Amino acid sequence: MHAKFTVAAAALLLTVAHASAIELKVLVPAQYSPASGFIPGSVVHKDLYAKFEAQNPDIKLNYEVLDTGPQGLQKILTQATTNSLPDAAIVDGQWIARLVQAKALQPLDQLWPASDRADFHPAVVEAVSIDGKPYAIMFQTGMRGLLYRPSVLAAQGEKEFPKTFDDFLKLASKLKDKKVVAELVPAKATDEPSTMHMLSIFWGLGGKLVDEHGAPVFFTEENGKALARVYEMYRDLVAKGAMRAEVTTMDEAALRPFFYGHEVFAMGGSSSNVKQIWSEQPDTVNDLAVAAYPMPGSGKPVTILGGFTYAITARDPKKVEAAWKFVSFMTAPAQMGAINEALGQLPVRTSVWSTNGFFSTNPMMVSYKAMYDGPMQTRPVAPIYTTISSAISSQLPGVIAGTLSPSDAVNRARDAVMVEFKRQQSR
Amino acid sequence: MQSTAQTIPLPSSRRRIPRPRLPRVNGFFFFILPGVSFVLSLTLFPALYGIYISLTNLNLGYVGYSFVGLENYGRLLEWDDLGLVTRNTLGFVASVVVLQVAIGLLVSILLNQKLVGHQVMRSLTILPWVLPSVVVGLVFAQIFGGSRLGIANYVLSLFGVGQMSWLADPALAMALLVAVSVWRGVPFTVIILLGGLQTLPRELYEAAVIDGATAWQRFRYVTLPLLKPILMISLIMGTGGALNSLDIPLALTGGGPGSATELFSISLYKQSFFHLDISYGAAIGTVMLVVNLVLIVLYLLVLQPRRSANHD
C-alpha cells in the first residue's frame, strides 16, 4: 500500500513538473535540427536534444524550422516587430547586425564566460560582437577555397597548386590545350557566395568594405583599386579561357557537374560541401584537396570566416536563463565537435580541432586547419553589409561580359550602396 | 352622462396584425454577397493596401514605418536598370503573348478537326499545363545546364556539336525563357480557343462552302470574327500571365546572366524578399497593376465588337 502511494505521488510530481516545465521555443534551420534531411545531421541533433532534455527536465524544447535565406532573416525581423520572437534561434552570422538593430537579440556578455570565449579564434568572437558585446556563439564555419583533384595537378607535372595569379594562368594555358577549364568560381549576381569568393582576394589585396563606424568605404582610393583589381582578375580569367563566362549564372552547386565531369580543374567551393562531394563522387574521397586563391604578386588571400550561430531572442529573464542553458549546451566542445563532424563543417573552437579525430587527422581537414591558422577575417558586422554584398556581386556579369569596366563596376556598386546607406541613416 | 368611450372592435383571427416594415432587400443581394466579399477582401483590399504600402517606407529590416508620399516611385524612376528591365519585360510579354496565341490558335484549329486520334492528341496537348510551373522552370534549367552533363549539351554531343552555354548568353537565355513560357502557356490557350471553336455554328461554314470560300477565306471571314471575344480573353489572360510571371523566370534564369532576363516581376521579388524593402516592391507592384489595367482597356477598345452606327 505504501509503495503504491509512493508511485502515485511520484507520477503526480512528474506530471506537475512536466506541466510546469519551461517550454523553450527554438527557431532553427532544418539542417541544424532533428528535421535535417541529411540523416547523420538528424541523428546527432535528435540525440543532443534528448540529452539536453534529460539533463534539464524543467525545460522542454519546441523547435521550429527556419529558412537559411533572406526569408529566415525576414521571419525573425517580422517576429521582432510583432513581439512574437522565439526564445533562442540559430542565425546566420551576417544577420547579427540587422537583428541587433531590430532589438531581436540579447547580449551574451553577462552569460558567456571569458574562459570559454578564449577557446574560440578571436575572429570568431569578433564576428558576433557589436560594440564589444557578443550577441551569439558561432558553432561552425564554412571556408571558401579552390577544390581540385591533386591527380590532375600531378598529370600536368606540377607539384603544388600555383600560389600566384600569373602561375595559375600558365597552368590554365596548359589545361586549355587539353580542353580542361582551369577554374570555375560562382559569379552570380546578388548571390552571397559570389561575394564571399571575391572577398578573400579583396581582403588579401588590403581592401576594406566598411570603416569602423560601419560606413561603406570599399570604393575609396586604395579600397576601390583593390576591388577593381578583383574584377579585372575575373575578367582576365574568362578572357584567357581559364574560366567560363557561364559562371555569371552559377551558384556553388551549379559548378559541381563541371567538376564531376572532369571539365574543370578547380572549383570555388565551401568546406561545408566536402562531405557531400565525397558522397556524390566517391573517386574524390582520396583525390580532393583545397587551395587558397592564387593572388597577384606576392599577396596572400585572407580566409573568409562566416557561419551559423546560436543566439538568444527571449526577453523574459526565466526564458533567457533557460535559453542560455540550451545555447551553452549545444556549443560546448563535445556537442559542437559532434555536430561539426556529422555535418562535415569546420569547427570554430581550437579544442575541437585538436581533440576530434576527424579534424585532427583527415588530410583535407588538416589543409583547412592551415587556412584557419592563417589570416582570417569576418564579413563586417554592419547593417549595410548585405547591400554591399549584393551590389558588388551584381557587377560581375557586366565585367565578365566586357560591357562594364572594372572601375565603372566599382562606381556602380558605390552608387547602389550609398543610396541605401543614406536611407538607413535616415531611419 | 353620456359615455364617450367607443368600442374598439377586436381584431378577428383572420385579420393580419400589422408588423413593422423591414426594408425591402432584393434577393440577388444574398446570392452575390459571397462573391462580392471574396473580391473585396482577397482582391480589392490587398491591391489597395499594396498601393498604400508603396507610399510608405516599410522595410522589414526596420521597426516601424511612415508615410513618404511618392518617394518610392521617384526611386523607381531613378533606377539605373529601369530601361533594361522595361525592355526585357515588354519584349518578353509581347513575344510570349503573340506566340502563345498564334500557336494556340493553330493547335486548337488542328485539334478541332475530326482527325484520327484527335482525342488522344487533345489530352497530350494539355500535359505541359498540368505540370507545376516551378517544376517546369527547374527541369528546363537542368536540360539547358552548360555542363556536358546538361541534357541539351549531351544530345548535341551525339551529333558531334560542341557544348553551348545556353543560359549564359543573354539573347539565348531570353529566347529560352520565352520558349519555355510559351510551351507552358499554349495548352491553356488551346483549351480556351478549342472551347470557342466548338461553339461556332456549322451552318455558316456550310454556307461559306456553298459560296465557294476557300479554307483560308473560311478562317479569315468566318472563324476569326466569331472567335474575337474568345481571342480577347486569351490575350488578356496571356498578357496578365506573362507580365506577372515569376515562377519560370526565377527558376530558369533568375534574371541572369547579370540582368539580361530580369523582368519587373523578378525585381519586385528581389526588392521585397531579398532586400526586404516591401514598400519599394509594392511600388513596382502598383506600376505592374496599372500596366495590366491599361493593357486590358486597350484590348477591350481594339477587339470589342463595334456596334453599327445605324441601329435600324
Side-chain angles (χ1 to χ4, degrees):
Chain A
M1 191 68 179
H2 181 71
K4 278 183 183 174
F5 271 121
T6 310
V7 170
L12 189 66
L13 272 174
L14 272 174
T15 311
V16 171
H18 193 260
S20 63
I22 293 177
E23 186 179 302
L24 202 63
K25 194 176 169 193
V26 186
L27 211 52
V28 287
Q31 68 262 40
Y32 303 121
S33 78
S36 174
F38 182 57
I39 303 297
S42 168
V43 170
V44 74
H45 281 95
K46 270 182 195 163
D47 287 351
L48 292 178
Y49 278 30
K51 199 171 164 188
F52 174 77
E53 284 186 329
Q55 284 180 12
N56 299 277
D58 56 329
I59 301 173
K60 188 181 180 325
L61 290 175
N62 179 9
Y63 76 93
E64 194 181 306
V65 169
L66 176 75
D67 194 284
T68 51
Q71 287 86 351
L73 172 63
Q74 180 196 349
K75 180 170 180 169
I76 302 180
L77 289 170
T78 309
Q79 287 177 324
T81 55
T82 55
N83 283 324
S84 56
L85 281 166
D87 302 314
I90 291 180
V91 300
D92 190 334
Q94 63 157 323
W95 300 350
I96 290 173
R98 296 286 293 272
L99 294 174
V100 169
Q101 196 181 41
K103 298 182 173 64
L105 303 186
Q106 294 293 336
L108 305 180
D109 53 328
Q110 300 298 315
L111 299 165
W112 192 8
S115 56
D116 192 57
R117 277 185 238 177
D119 192 24
F120 290 78
H121 191 294
V124 173
V125 181
E126 191 192 323
V128 295
S129 300
I130 294 174
D131 296 334
K133 286 184 185 175
Y135 281 86
I137 302 181
M138 197 180 283
F139 65 94
Q140 57 85 234
T141 186
M143 286 187 194
R144 258 75 193 180
L146 289 172
L147 300 169
Y148 67 98
R149 287 183 170 91
S151 62
V152 177
L153 189 66
Q156 304 307 313
E158 303 281 342
K159 286 182 182 169
E160 63 173 11
F161 198 93
K163 286 195 167 50
T164 70
F165 190 59
D166 288 340
D167 287 346
F168 184 75
L169 288 178
K170 283 179 197 158
L171 173 66
S173 174
K174 283 202 272 181
L175 290 164
K176 194 180 168 187
D177 293 341
K178 292 177 181 174
K179 295 190 175 173
V180 174
V181 176
E183 174 186 310
L184 289 183
V185 174
K188 196 174 177 180
T190 66
D191 189 42
E192 178 63 10
S194 301
T195 307
M196 293 170 85
H197 286 281
M198 291 177 76
L199 285 182
S200 281
I201 306 170
F202 175 68
W203 285 333
L205 293 169
K208 271 178 74 177
L209 289 178
V210 298
D211 66 11
E212 57 277 13
H213 304 295
V217 292
F218 65 87
F219 47 81
T220 58
E221 299 172 1
E222 294 307 312
N223 299 325
K225 283 181 191 166
L227 184 56
R229 183 74 186 101
V230 179
Y231 284 132
E232 270 173 29
M233 289 169 70
Y234 275 73
R235 184 195 60 190
D236 292 350
L237 281 167
V238 172
K240 292 180 179 171
M243 184 158 79
R244 290 175 66 156
E246 221 165 343
V247 288
T248 55
T249 62
M250 295 179 183
D251 53 21
E252 284 178 347
L255 307 178
R256 284 184 219 143
F258 293 86
F259 188 70
Y260 294 167
H262 295 267
E263 294 169 69
V264 62
F265 163 59
M267 66 166 175
S270 165
S271 56
S272 304
N273 299 123
V274 166
K275 277 206 165 179
Q276 189 181 350
I277 293 169
W278 284 341
S279 130
E280 288 174 349
Q281 201 69 10
D283 71 292
T284 59
V285 172
N286 296 311
D287 192 17
L288 189 68
V290 61
Y293 302 93
M295 293 287 289
S298 57
K300 282 189 176 172
V302 175
T303 301
I304 184 166
L305 174 76
F308 281 88
T309 66
Y310 274 97
I312 295 178
T313 44
R315 287 168 182 170
D316 173 56
K318 277 188 180 174
K319 290 276 184 111
V320 170
E321 192 185 335
W324 170 247
K325 280 184 184 172
F326 174 67
V327 169
S328 57
F329 173 82
M330 294 302 285
T331 57
Q335 283 76 270
M336 192 187 280
I339 294 169
N340 293 154
E341 187 178 346
L343 299 176
Q345 297 173 338
L346 304 181
V348 286
R349 276 184 182 272
T350 310
S351 59
V352 176
W353 279 106
S354 56
T355 55
N356 182 289
F358 174 69
F359 292 110
S360 60
T361 58
N362 181 281
M364 189 87 185
M365 296 301 128
V366 171
S367 301
Y368 278 120
K369 179 65 165 60
M371 290 167 72
Y372 183 85
D373 290 337
M376 197 159 66
Q377 199 170 321
T378 177
R379 288 166 286 175
V381 189
I384 196 65
Y385 172 73
T386 48
T387 309
I388 295 176
S389 167
S390 169
I392 63 178
S393 67
S394 293
Q395 314 311 321
L396 276 172
V399 172
I400 287 172
T403 56
L404 195 62
S405 74
S407 56
D408 285 345
V410 174
N411 293 338
R412 274 179 66 108
R414 175 200 61 202
D415 294 346
V417 169
M418 291 316 287
V419 169
E420 178 58 21
F421 185 63
K422 281 176 191 155
R423 277 169 32 80
Q424 285 194 2
Q425 283 188 311
S426 71
R427 304 288 294 264
Chain B
M1 189 173 164
Q2 195 178 355
S3 172
T4 56
Q6 291 179 347
T7 308
I8 300 169
L10 287 170
S12 71
S13 59
R14 295 180 71 183
R15 289 183 75 175
R16 278 193 178 172
I17 301 168
R19 293 177 191 164
R21 271 201 158 188
L22 289 171
R24 188 182 169 89
V25 179
N26 286 326
F28 72 83
F29 179 79
F30 294 102
F31 290 106
I32 65 166
L33 190 60
V36 169
S37 311
F38 181 83
V39 170
L40 288 179
S41 61
L42 296 178
T43 306
L44 192 62
F45 172 72
L48 294 176
Y49 191 66
I51 294 170
Y52 164 69
I53 290 294
S54 74
L55 302 173
T56 70
N57 59 0
L58 176 65
N59 182 312
L60 292 178
Y62 302 92
V63 177
Y65 63 93
S66 56
F67 184 79
V68 294
L70 297 173
E71 187 185 295
N72 290 312
Y73 295 93
R75 286 172 66 196
L76 189 58
L77 290 175
E78 288 170 8
W79 182 28
D80 284 344
D81 285 342
L82 179 64
L84 174 71
V85 174
T86 306
R87 279 196 302 277
N88 287 346
T89 308
L90 289 177
F92 173 77
V93 172
S95 311
V96 169
V97 171
V98 169
L99 288 171
Q100 198 168 296
V101 173
I103 297 171
L105 184 60
L106 186 69
V107 174
S108 56
I109 288 170
L110 286 173
L111 291 178
N112 198 36
Q113 311 301 313
K114 302 279 185 230
L115 302 173
V116 178
H118 70 281
Q119 294 286 10
V120 177
M121 286 307 294
R122 281 181 192 176
S123 308
L124 287 177
T125 308
I126 291 164
L127 271 182
W129 184 251
V130 181
L131 295 171
S133 41
V134 171
V135 174
V136 170
L138 292 172
V139 166
F140 276 95
Q142 193 76 24
I143 291 173
F144 293 107
S147 162
R148 65 172 168 231
L149 303 180
I151 297 166
N153 275 340
Y154 172 73
V155 172
L156 285 182
S157 72
L158 299 178
F159 298 98
V161 181
Q163 275 174 251
M164 287 184 69
S165 299
W166 301 94
L167 299 172
D169 178 87
L172 199 51
M174 181 54 96
L176 282 172
L177 183 58
V178 169
V180 173
S181 301
V182 169
W183 181 83
R184 173 68 168 56
V186 160
F188 182 66
T189 311
V190 170
I191 293 168
I192 294 178
L193 295 181
L194 193 57
L197 282 172
Q198 289 175 347
T199 61
L200 301 186
R202 306 299 311 168
E203 301 80 21
L204 288 177
Y205 288 95
E206 287 162 11
V209 170
I210 291 166
D211 290 345
T214 61
W216 166 250
Q217 285 170 327
R218 290 200 297 277
F219 171 74
R220 172 71 185 80
Y221 298 107
V222 180
T223 307
L224 217 48
L226 291 174
L227 211 56
K228 251 187 180 181
I230 311 292
L231 277 172
M232 188 172 71
I233 292 169
S234 295
L235 283 171
I236 290 172
M237 299 196 76
T239 305
L243 192 61
N244 303 324
S245 167
L246 175 68
D247 32 26
I248 290 177
L250 201 61
L252 186 64
T253 67
S259 301
T261 59
E262 180 146 340
L263 310 173
F264 273 115
S265 56
I266 295 180
S267 305
L268 188 159
Y269 169 80
K270 282 183 179 170
Q271 289 300 332
S272 301
F273 301 107
F274 186 79
H275 297 294
L276 309 179
D277 201 344
I278 299 294
S279 58
Y280 191 34
I284 298 174
T286 304
V287 170
M288 287 172 67
L289 176 71
V290 171
V291 173
N292 266 311
L293 292 174
V294 167
L295 286 173
I296 289 169
V297 171
L298 277 177
Y299 284 143
L300 290 172
L301 287 176
V302 173
L303 290 174
Q304 202 172 35
R306 289 186 185 83
R307 286 181 183 173
S308 167
N310 185 357
H311 293 286
D312 298 344

Short mmCIF file of all heavy atoms in Angstrom, two decimals, chain B residues 3 24 35 40 56-57 80 92 97 110 127 195 252 285:
data_model
loop_
_atom_site.label_atom_id
_atom_site.label_comp_id
_atom_site.label_asym_id
_atom_site.label_seq_id
_atom_site.Cartn_x
_atom_site.Cartn_y
_atom_site.Cartn_z
N SER B 3 -71.52 58.37 -22.12
CA SER B 3 -70.16 57.84 -22.22
C SER B 3 -69.56 58.16 -23.58
O SER B 3 -70.21 58.06 -24.60
CB SER B 3 -70.16 56.32 -22.03
OG SER B 3 -68.90 55.82 -22.31
N ARG B 24 -37.00 46.60 -47.90
CA ARG B 24 -37.08 45.55 -48.92
C ARG B 24 -35.68 45.32 -49.53
O ARG B 24 -35.03 46.27 -49.95
CB ARG B 24 -38.05 45.99 -50.00
CG ARG B 24 -38.37 44.91 -51.01
CD ARG B 24 -39.32 45.49 -52.05
NE ARG B 24 -39.43 44.58 -53.17
CZ ARG B 24 -40.32 43.61 -53.23
NH1 ARG B 24 -41.16 43.45 -52.24
NH2 ARG B 24 -40.38 42.83 -54.29
N GLY B 35 -19.53 36.23 -53.35
CA GLY B 35 -18.60 36.64 -54.41
C GLY B 35 -18.03 38.02 -54.16
O GLY B 35 -16.83 38.25 -54.27
N LEU B 40 -13.79 41.69 -52.54
CA LEU B 40 -13.40 42.84 -51.71
C LEU B 40 -12.27 42.49 -50.75
O LEU B 40 -11.30 43.24 -50.62
CB LEU B 40 -14.60 43.36 -50.91
CG LEU B 40 -15.69 44.09 -51.70
CD1 LEU B 40 -16.81 44.52 -50.78
CD2 LEU B 40 -15.11 45.31 -52.42
N THR B 56 4.69 54.33 -48.32
CA THR B 56 5.37 54.36 -47.02
C THR B 56 6.84 53.92 -47.19
O THR B 56 7.25 53.60 -48.31
CB THR B 56 4.70 53.40 -46.02
OG1 THR B 56 4.97 52.05 -46.45
CG2 THR B 56 3.20 53.60 -45.95
N ASN B 57 7.56 53.90 -46.09
CA ASN B 57 8.94 53.39 -46.17
C ASN B 57 9.07 52.07 -45.40
O ASN B 57 10.07 51.83 -44.74
CB ASN B 57 9.93 54.44 -45.63
CG ASN B 57 9.65 54.81 -44.18
OD1 ASN B 57 8.72 54.29 -43.58
ND2 ASN B 57 10.46 55.68 -43.62
N ASP B 80 18.86 52.67 -62.18
CA ASP B 80 19.75 52.53 -63.34
C ASP B 80 19.24 51.51 -64.36
O ASP B 80 19.39 51.69 -65.56
CB ASP B 80 21.15 52.08 -62.87
CG ASP B 80 21.92 53.22 -62.27
OD1 ASP B 80 21.51 54.40 -62.50
OD2 ASP B 80 22.92 52.97 -61.55
N PHE B 92 9.54 40.35 -73.50
CA PHE B 92 9.10 39.03 -73.01
C PHE B 92 7.59 38.88 -73.14
O PHE B 92 7.10 37.89 -73.71
CB PHE B 92 9.54 38.86 -71.55
CG PHE B 92 9.01 37.63 -70.88
CD1 PHE B 92 9.57 36.39 -71.15
CD2 PHE B 92 7.95 37.70 -69.98
CE1 PHE B 92 9.09 35.24 -70.54
CE2 PHE B 92 7.46 36.57 -69.38
CZ PHE B 92 8.02 35.33 -69.65
N VAL B 97 2.97 36.43 -75.53
CA VAL B 97 1.54 36.52 -75.85
C VAL B 97 1.30 36.22 -77.33
O VAL B 97 0.41 35.42 -77.67
CB VAL B 97 1.00 37.93 -75.47
CG1 VAL B 97 -0.41 38.11 -75.99
CG2 VAL B 97 1.04 38.11 -73.96
N LEU B 110 -6.33 22.65 -85.44
CA LEU B 110 -5.99 21.28 -85.81
C LEU B 110 -6.75 20.26 -84.95
O LEU B 110 -7.27 19.27 -85.44
CB LEU B 110 -4.48 21.04 -85.65
CG LEU B 110 -3.58 21.68 -86.72
CD1 LEU B 110 -2.12 21.50 -86.35
CD2 LEU B 110 -3.86 21.04 -88.09
N LEU B 127 -0.85 18.38 -71.42
CA LEU B 127 0.12 17.92 -70.42
C LEU B 127 1.02 19.02 -69.82
O LEU B 127 1.18 19.09 -68.60
CB LEU B 127 1.00 16.81 -71.00
CG LEU B 127 0.47 15.39 -70.83
CD1 LEU B 127 1.45 14.39 -71.40
CD2 LEU B 127 0.21 15.08 -69.36
N GLY B 195 -12.59 25.46 -76.97
CA GLY B 195 -13.96 25.60 -76.45
C GLY B 195 -14.74 26.56 -77.31
O GLY B 195 -15.91 26.33 -77.65
N LEU B 252 14.35 29.43 -63.94
CA LEU B 252 15.16 29.13 -65.13
C LEU B 252 16.39 30.02 -65.21
O LEU B 252 17.50 29.53 -65.37
CB LEU B 252 14.30 29.29 -66.39
CG LEU B 252 14.96 28.89 -67.70
CD1 LEU B 252 15.30 27.40 -67.71
CD2 LEU B 252 14.04 29.19 -68.89
N GLY B 285 4.96 46.75 -57.82
CA GLY B 285 3.70 46.01 -57.99
C GLY B 285 2.58 46.92 -58.46
O GLY B 285 1.77 46.54 -59.31
#
